[in-house]
Amino acid sequence: MAAGFKTAEPLEYHRSFLKENCRPDGRELSEFRTTTLNIGSISTANGSALVKLGNTTIICGIKAELANPSVEAPGKGYIVPNVDLPPLCSSRFRPGAPGEQAQAASQFVADVIESSELIKAEDLCVDRGKLCWVLYCDIMCLDYDGNILDACIIALLAALKNTQLPEVTINKETCAPEVNPEKKRGLTIHKHPVGASFCVFDDSIQIVDPTAEEESLSTAQLTVVTDEAGRLCSLHKPGGTPLSGEKLQGCITRATARQREIQKLIDKVIRSVKTEQ
């Protein structure tokens, strides 16, 4: 009977739970799904991370390449994020060129990198005006069940913290770069931005970390990104019903608590990998 009700009247089905301050999967309204993290799982990448947020699964691989800096910014390198939502992660996505959602997610990640100062582009300069690193951050969804933005930011942050770059020196005589893969160093991570995404039901009830079904039934979506200092790095609200200042403040407070949880998780995983090595 419940399955039939869920299929025929999905919104009413969800409302029957929300009335009792819980959700169909048993979570409270302000509860995130279980979050798990693995790092360094792609041996061919300079850094990588795999994140599971409930069923939503995201993998991020960082590939570093040497390039010439731009004339406008001779002392800076580049960070190039790309979010891929392939058909394998959900039947909602089609093969071919990136769809609107993938493009919006890539832009969101690029904005977070810039506004949070997670990494400074100056740190990627090898030889001013001549040589710099380009970090290609490929983020792919393997299983889509809502809230990919939070999972993308966790995967990106963990993968960058796992990234090792080889030492590069410029040969004085030939002026050619020489790479020493034996000597590696990690990146300097200046800030630790973490996202918290919310959905609004019936213009009033707020839930955190929505599943794909909850996203599709909501009247508005919102992602808040904060760093360890509690600073608001980014606020992403693609249309939908307006939110009061009070509700927004509640989201920011929840986001700062989430930031602490995730930073602890990343540090713990990195420590455990170091002890294994």
Side-chain angles (χ1 to χ4, degrees):
M1 180 62 200
F5 177 34
K6 183 184 175 183
T7 312
E9 295 283 350
L11 190 53
E12 284 306 322
Y13 176 76
H14 274 75
R15 278 181 186 141
S16 67
F17 284 92
L18 296 173
K19 275 209 298 268
E20 304 299 322
N21 278 337
C22 71
R23 290 148 81 172
D25 59 10
R27 283 187 288 159
E28 290 177 17
L29 304 190
S30 63
E31 195 181 332
F32 280 84
R33 290 170 288 181
T34 303
T35 309
T36 58
L37 171 67
N38 281 316
I39 61 167
S41 33
I42 307 175
S43 57
T44 51
N46 294 84
S48 61
L50 175 79
V51 172
K52 286 195 78 164
L53 188 53
N55 290 329
T56 293
T57 310
I58 298 274
I59 193 159
C60 175
I62 313 279
K63 202 76 184 126
E65 287 182 10
L66 289 165
N68 302 109
S70 67
V71 179
E72 300 80 44
K76 292 182 176 182
Y78 308 91
I79 306 160
V80 185
N82 181 56
V83 177
D84 188 14
L85 302 174
L88 82 96
C89 74
S90 168
S91 56
R92 73 180 64 207
F93 303 116
R94 293 274 153 276
E100 200 179 319
Q101 193 177 353
Q103 287 177 28
S106 296
Q107 188 56 54
F108 167 77
V109 172
D111 291 345
V112 168
I113 292 169
E114 196 175 336
S115 63
S116 68
E117 295 181 335
L118 158 68
I119 280 190
K120 294 203 167 117
E122 293 84 352
D123 296 347
L124 300 174
C125 175
V126 177
D127 189 7
R128 190 180 167 82
K130 293 179 185 163
L131 199 64
C132 69
W133 285 108
V134 183
L135 299 182
Y136 291 101
C137 312
D138 289 317
I139 303 168
M140 184 187 271
C141 181
L142 304 179
D143 193 346
Y144 182 97
D145 188 18
N147 195 9
I148 56 158
L149 297 184
D150 287 11
C152 285
I153 296 296
I154 299 171
L156 174 76
L157 178 57
L160 286 169
K161 283 184 77 87
N162 173 242
T163 298
Q164 297 277 317
L165 297 181
E167 185 183 73
V168 181
T169 47
I170 307 293
N171 186 309
K172 294 277 193 301
E173 289 159 21
T174 62
C175 292
E178 291 177 353
V179 178
N180 180 359
E182 299 304 308
K183 271 193 173 176
K184 288 184 179 170
R185 62 173 182 87
L187 294 168
T188 305
I189 305 296
H190 295 274
K191 291 283 190 296
H192 293 72
V194 173
S197 290
F198 304 83
C199 266
V200 180
F201 268 86
D202 296 332
D203 304 343
S204 62
I205 301 169
Q206 261 174 319
I207 61 165
V208 75
D209 182 24
T211 62
E213 188 171 23
E214 286 170 339
E215 281 179 352
S216 68
L217 297 169
S218 67
T219 51
Q221 292 178 31
L222 167 78
T223 301
V224 178
V225 182
T226 57
D227 66 16
E228 60 267 53
R231 190 175 64 105
L232 184 64
C233 305
S234 176
L235 198 132
H236 177 68
K237 185 177 181 295
T241 49
L243 276 180
S244 68
E246 189 188 343
K247 283 228 157 84
L248 196 53
Q249 192 51 58
C251 293
I252 294 169
T253 305
R254 181 67 187 95
T256 52
R258 176 68 171 169
Q259 193 285 333
R260 288 192 292 272
E261 289 164 27
I262 293 302
Q263 193 170 344
K264 261 191 206 145
L265 173 69
I266 292 175
D267 290 344
K268 187 177 133 194
V269 173
I270 287 173
R271 270 200 310 272
S272 71
V273 167
K274 278 187 179 148
T275 40
E276 279 167 27
Q277 289 169 348

